[in-house]
Amino acid sequence: MGFHAIIARDSILLEFLEKQRLQAGAFFSWDLYENEDENFITFVSPYYKTSFNKILVEALEKQQAPLIDTLLHYNPILMTGYDEDSAWLKIQSYVKDKLERFEALVIEIKNKKNYTTNELKSFYDTDMLLSLNHLPDSFQKLRDDYGIALINLSGFSWNRGQYSFAQEVILIAQTLACSPRETRMIQERIKWYEDNLPASARIQSGGCASIGKNLLMICFVFVLFINLLRVLVPSAPSKDNQFNKYPDVSKMKIYFLPADAKRKAELDSLKNIILARPNGAATPALEAILAQYNRSLDTLETKKVNLEELLLDEMKHSVYNVRVLDSLKSKFE
């Protein structure tokens, strides 16, 4: 069978090569390429490299972590060694340029220049950091340097009295897959902030709302929590023994924190796509992928929290950003 005919049988690869498009969770037909010789790779490599670069750069720009995950980890890289090296050099150049722009911005903040939260968000957004995490080990130095830039952004903001913003940035920095040294620095900074936050800042809402609104929202969460317990826990005739007689359902570990719930949904979706393929997970490559998904899902299962812990987590982050509380409120309206 000719190479053009092989590609034509795979609609996903055909769209990838012709239109530079790929959807998160879309898989090439592994069976068509597992036994192909180097001549096929040589034939398809130039076209694949063009699409690979365009899709990956756009996914990084749009912070589409699931798409990057699909492209890099769950589809074959149909490039020669030379073309693959060339492609990664372009991606490294893109990430390095973003890092340098971020570092320059951090220096400007140190020198008292003001930026809005929206202007800064693209540099420390969780989805952007997750996207960087999917890049290969050769990007580890860039990830570590990015982690240092996040620490500096947080520190310079703290020095300017922007306590809640500094805490928000350093908490989000935990998302980035840094080396142990940088990870330890981030954790130490988080602890230092918790220990040294001025009393006047502990009741602020990250500068996003007035103190009155923030206190009102916190009160709402407490009231919500108490009311939920009243609904979930049956009332007892005796006040003396009601909490001994009935189980505290808030202790049942049946919830995921928001970020974990989102990741579990992504993993479940991609796992279902694998199992729905004509051959299921029959090939060694797909069996390895499925095993990786199962390990990831098992890890998430250990992160379940009870209702009280879920609400307390929401409240903890609300001190840094009142929008979290707004989101929590909407869940129960």
Side-chain angles (χ1 to χ4, degrees):
M1 180 184 296
F3 295 149
H4 286 287
I6 292 176
I7 295 171
R9 289 177 56 192
D10 186 345
S11 60
I12 294 175
L13 179 62
L14 186 62
E15 183 175 42
F16 179 88
L17 297 175
E18 286 189 342
K19 300 180 180 179
Q20 291 82 51
R21 288 206 297 256
L22 182 70
Q23 299 296 320
F27 297 92
F28 303 154
S29 297
W30 290 76
D31 300 343
L32 295 177
Y33 316 116
E34 281 186 322
N35 300 317
E36 287 300 327
D37 58 23
E38 293 182 0
N39 290 329
F40 176 76
I41 299 296
T42 301
F43 170 77
V44 77
S45 182
Y47 311 103
Y48 187 99
K49 183 180 79 170
T50 299
S51 297
F52 178 88
N53 277 333
K54 182 175 184 294
I55 290 172
L56 185 50
V57 168
E58 288 183 354
L60 287 167
E61 283 281 356
K62 297 176 181 178
Q63 304 172 6
Q64 298 171 319
L67 174 55
I68 297 172
D69 195 21
T70 299
L71 176 64
L72 299 185
H73 305 305
Y74 305 112
N75 277 303
I77 304 296
L78 303 176
M79 285 188 283
T80 63
Y82 177 83
D83 281 341
E84 188 170 356
D85 288 344
S86 175
W88 282 120
L89 282 174
K90 181 172 182 179
I91 303 303
Q92 282 185 333
S93 178
Y94 166 82
V95 175
K96 186 176 180 181
D97 178 68
K98 187 176 185 70
L99 171 61
E100 289 175 348
R101 285 186 284 121
F102 183 31
E103 290 174 330
L105 178 148
V106 170
I107 294 300
E108 290 180 339
I109 289 176
K110 178 183 179 183
N111 294 329
K112 311 303 183 185
K113 183 169 181 179
N114 295 320
Y115 285 92
T116 66
T117 301
N118 288 337
E119 289 173 319
L120 295 172
K121 192 69 174 175
S122 65
F123 290 98
Y124 73 92
D125 185 85
T126 301
D127 289 333
M128 193 277 292
L129 300 184
L130 288 173
S131 297
L132 293 180
N133 288 349
H134 286 302
L135 299 177
D137 291 344
S138 58
F139 285 77
Q140 190 58 55
K141 177 63 165 60
L142 288 170
R143 275 192 292 267
D144 291 342
D145 289 345
Y146 209 99
I148 295 296
L150 288 168
I151 293 172
N152 288 336
L153 171 62
S154 174
F156 297 149
S157 300
W158 179 278
N159 291 341
R160 298 179 64 179
Q162 298 170 338
Y163 304 117
S164 57
F165 177 74
Q167 290 178 306
E168 178 184 359
V169 170
I170 203 66
L171 286 170
I172 291 175
Q174 296 178 101
T175 306
L176 192 61
C178 294
S179 296
R181 172 179 171 270
E182 286 72 23
T183 299
R184 185 172 61 255
M185 292 170 65
I186 290 171
Q187 295 301 325
E188 289 173 351
R189 183 62 62 90
I190 291 172
K191 180 65 167 58
W192 192 92
Y193 286 165
E194 291 175 350
D195 293 342
N196 292 275
L197 183 66
S200 60
R202 293 184 184 276
I203 57 173
Q204 292 177 358
S205 59
C208 298
S210 66
I211 292 175
K213 179 180 179 181
N214 190 56
L215 289 174
L216 179 62
M217 292 298 291
I218 291 176
C219 290
F220 161 77
V221 175
F222 276 119
V223 172
L224 171 65
F225 177 61
I226 293 170
N227 287 339
L228 280 173
L229 290 181
R230 287 174 178 170
V231 172
L232 293 172
V233 181
S235 59
S238 171
K239 292 183 179 180
D240 295 333
N241 63 5
Q242 62 177 342
F243 289 107
N244 295 325
K245 181 176 180 180
Y246 297 102
D248 182 358
V249 296
S250 72
K251 302 302 182 185
M252 296 180 182
K253 294 188 176 296
I254 53 175
Y255 299 95
F256 284 103
L257 296 181
D260 293 328
K262 179 180 178 182
R263 181 58 178 160
K264 185 178 186 301
E266 293 172 352
L267 288 170
D268 284 337
S269 175
L270 290 175
K271 178 180 177 180
N272 290 336
I273 291 172
I274 292 173
L275 296 178
R277 290 169 54 84
N279 294 327
T283 67
L286 288 179
E287 287 177 352
I289 294 170
L290 187 58
Q292 181 176 342
Y293 276 136
N294 288 334
R295 287 194 298 271
S296 297
L297 287 169
D298 287 342
T299 299
L300 285 178
E301 286 294 319
T302 67
K303 294 184 176 182
K304 285 183 176 179
V305 297
N306 59 50
L307 178 61
E308 180 180 2
E309 291 167 337
L310 176 66
L311 292 176
L312 289 176
D313 181 80
E314 296 280 8
M315 288 178 57
K316 174 183 175 183
H317 289 83
S318 75
V319 175
Y320 313 129
N321 193 334
V322 75
R323 289 175 297 177
V324 176
L325 284 175
D326 291 332
S327 173
L328 177 61
K329 180 181 177 182
S330 67
K331 294 178 185 178
F332 298 94
E333 287 181 335

